[in-house]
Amino acid sequence: MGELFAVLSGKGGTGKTSVCAGVAVALAADGRKVLCIDCDVGLRNLDISLGMSDSGGLSFLDVSEGGYSLSDAAHHPQYPNLHFLTAPMNRPVEEIDPVRFEKMLRDARTQYDYIFLDAPAGVDAGFRLVTASADRILLVTGPGPAAVRDAARVGDLLEIDGKKDVRLVVNRISRAMLSAVGMTIDDVMDTAGLPLMGVVMEDPNVSMAAAFGRPLYLYAKRSDAARAFSRIAARIQGYVKPIKLR
């Protein structure tokens, strides 16, 4: 059975979607069969970070309620084992049938090694929809005090909901910022109250790859962020990889 990851953030601007896409592509490059689902209804952009903005494709509602199957999901042009469902634009998240959504995810577990749900930022209805079925959670934060505080709040809510396997990804780190605010990665972990899955340095290649419509792993495989995503993907698969700030 495949594992279902919810990729969350307490606030916008943390680079959650870039982390989701970067880790998913790294797993696909390792030969894993991966399904990415954009669950940010109304603000969908996971396709850009995946390098699939020209792929069109079905929404998850087309599969969960519209009669299409998971085999109809868009296939990545460079990684045929990476598939994608976009978010619907014509249905408020409050009106999405959670029972049908959960059934689709159960079916996905039988067909994929990993399923990634890119959640909307915050803790509204989309957060509840995505986390309900998640086996494991990646909580993405920036290093700033406000982002870390929001991550801690999300962590508390997940604990109340009984979610045990929650790991922190500290994204968009710059040594200059950490120095300016007087924080270390250990401080971020202590404030958020969560174990660390990985750290990702601020990397202009992330934005450049999106601008050129390519996944980061193909645009700049040796970049700091691409290496960080590869290490996170390795840890997800059970390999021991050191935390590095590059």
Side-chain angles (χ1 to χ4, degrees):
M1 294 289 285
E3 289 189 302
L4 178 62
F5 280 80
V7 186
L8 312 176
S9 64
K11 60 177 295 183
T14 64
K16 166 185 57 63
T17 295
S18 297
V19 170
C20 181
V23 174
V25 169
L27 285 165
D30 284 343
R32 303 299 186 179
K33 192 171 184 183
V34 181
L35 173 66
C36 287
I37 305 178
D38 193 337
C39 298
D40 197 349
V41 176
L43 294 173
R44 56 188 186 181
N45 57 20
L46 180 58
D47 59 318
I48 297 173
S49 294
L50 288 170
M52 298 183 69
S53 56
D54 294 330
S55 299
L58 301 174
S59 78
F60 65 76
L61 277 186
D62 293 324
V63 175
S64 66
E65 300 181 19
Y68 289 88
S69 71
L70 288 167
S71 63
D72 296 316
H75 292 205
H76 196 281
Q78 284 81 34
Y79 300 103
N81 53 324
L82 174 59
H83 300 167
F84 172 66
L85 293 172
T86 190
M89 294 294 288
N90 58 353
R91 183 84 63 88
V93 67
E94 293 83 3
E95 296 180 10
I96 293 171
D97 187 335
V99 175
R100 291 183 177 181
F101 185 74
E102 184 177 355
K103 180 183 182 303
M104 178 189 69
L105 297 179
R106 287 199 304 271
D107 292 342
R109 282 191 176 93
T110 68
Q111 300 180 42
Y112 295 91
D113 299 312
Y114 298 101
I115 304 102
F116 286 87
L117 306 183
D118 185 30
V123 292
D124 293 331
F127 168 88
R128 300 296 179 187
L129 180 71
V130 167
T131 58
S133 299
D135 304 309
R136 304 171 69 181
I137 291 170
L138 298 181
L139 179 53
V140 182
T141 183
V148 176
R149 179 182 293 176
D150 286 345
R153 180 185 176 221
V154 173
D156 289 342
L157 291 174
L158 292 169
E159 183 177 4
I160 292 170
D161 287 345
K163 297 298 180 180
K164 304 296 185 183
D165 197 343
V166 183
R167 297 292 184 270
L168 193 68
V169 177
V170 188
N171 190 35
R172 306 185 68 176
I173 294 173
S174 74
R175 291 183 177 85
M177 180 178 182
L178 289 175
S179 177
V181 299
M183 294 184 71
T184 67
I185 298 301
D186 286 342
D187 293 331
V188 174
M189 292 171 58
D190 290 343
T191 301
L194 293 167
L196 189 65
M197 176 62 83
V199 298
V200 186
M201 297 297 290
E202 182 72 68
D203 189 340
N205 287 293
V206 174
S207 296
M208 292 299 295
F212 283 104
R214 301 186 67 193
L216 177 66
Y217 202 77
L218 291 177
Y219 178 79
K221 185 176 180 178
R222 304 293 294 174
S223 66
D224 288 342
R227 291 179 179 182
F229 295 146
S230 293
R231 289 193 291 269
I232 293 170
R235 292 183 197 112
I236 284 173
Q237 297 174 83
Y239 299 107
V240 177
K241 290 289 182 179
I243 299 293
K244 296 181 179 180
L245 290 179
R246 63 179 179 84

